[in-house]
Amino acid sequence: MDYNNDGNMDLILSNYYGKLFLYTRQSNGTLTEEPVLCGDGYEIDMGYWCGPALVDWDENGHLDLIVSGYGSGMFTNRFTLFMNTNEDPDSPVFTFNNISKIEPVFHRWRQGIRVFDLNIDGKKDLINGSETGEVYFHENIGTNASPEFDGKVLLATASGAIDIGSRSRACLLDWNDDGVPDMIIGENGGNLYLALGVPGVGNEEQTEEEIANEVMSLSVLENPSSGLHIPVQFSSPSAGMIVINMFDLHGRLLEEREYAIEAGASSLSLDASGLPPGVVILRAVLGNSSVSERVVITR
């Protein structure tokens, strides 16, 4: 991640004692060790075995910090959110804010938290490993700019719940470029496991809103898409202004577009010139209804 907004990728490391260490990359490619990260003016102390992640939590254009930890430190035994309150994107200043409505996992150490839109609904979710080898999913039931959580789900494959023995850490990505999230999971013995996502699996139950949205449809006509525009077709029983949001797999808003459409089928050409290569989530909103689709951007 680019911690100080200088265009170079930086590094945040955690240690056994719950401290966070920042290394900023210089223009010549070398890394410089910075002071230990602080929150509310205090050196961040997560107790033991903490796991950090940087993400724009409230979608205000500035990176925030979320950390898991265990032990007797000031922010331990929970997922802890440090909001960046500095308007200068080059110099983050973190203040403490405990994330609400997250049911704690019994084995709370070595959780290795990840922020990722796992269910492809345009909102950032939380995924964490555990000391005992499982991987948990916390669905965002709020919005992308104001996440809320209520409990957890134990992730599973076709053969049963994921359990790799001990100290699981998950990396989320689209391994095979099929538009579906996959996971690489590490464990204490140094082995890596690949869990491929299956299209359409994991979202069998429909909400009332999803059922109502079936009258709308969004189709990507060129997928993967390699040009500067993405041709799509949108169908709706009514006319109006449609808003199309484009998210990456971390739930970060990349672009937003508005179009006037008529009732029935409308062909649209979405400007993709500013989109990075990879999987992009298109979410079309008309009134109180929405529909989403994935597209793979290649260059």
Side-chain angles (χ1 to χ4, degrees), residues 96-204:
F96 167 76
N97 179 26
N98 187 35
I99 298 178
S100 62
K101 295 185 177 178
I102 294 188
E103 179 184 349
V105 180
F106 178 73
H107 296 281
R108 293 184 293 267
W109 55 95
R110 294 190 174 102
Q111 293 188 88
I113 195 167
R114 299 291 182 264
V115 183
F116 193 87
D117 181 14
L118 186 61
N119 55 357
I120 316 297
D121 63 353
K123 300 183 294 185
K124 57 178 73 72
D125 306 305
L126 297 179
I127 299 92
N128 69 276
S130 71
E131 170 70 12
T132 50
E134 303 89 356
V135 179
Y136 293 90
F137 168 56
H138 305 265
E139 182 182 5
N140 181 0
I141 59 175
T143 67
N144 195 46
S146 183
E148 294 183 18
F149 302 90
D150 188 10
K152 65 183 183 294
V153 174
L154 182 61
L155 292 179
T157 66
S159 59
I162 294 175
D163 184 353
I164 60 170
S166 66
R167 302 179 184 177
S168 54
R169 292 290 179 98
C171 174
L172 287 298
L173 74 167
D174 185 6
W175 178 264
N176 52 2
D177 290 327
D178 64 350
V180 180
D182 309 305
M183 283 195 299
I184 297 176
I185 310 169
E187 51 89 38
N188 186 51
N191 298 303
L192 297 175
Y193 298 87
L194 174 63
L196 294 176
V198 180
V201 174
N203 294 300
E204 289 81 359

Side-chain angles (χ1 to χ4, degrees), residues 49-71:
W49 301 306
C50 60
L54 281 169
V55 62
D56 184 2
W57 190 257
D58 53 0
E59 298 298 318
N60 67 349
H62 304 302
L63 286 176
D64 307 300
L65 175 67
I66 181 171
V67 194
S68 60
Y70 173 82

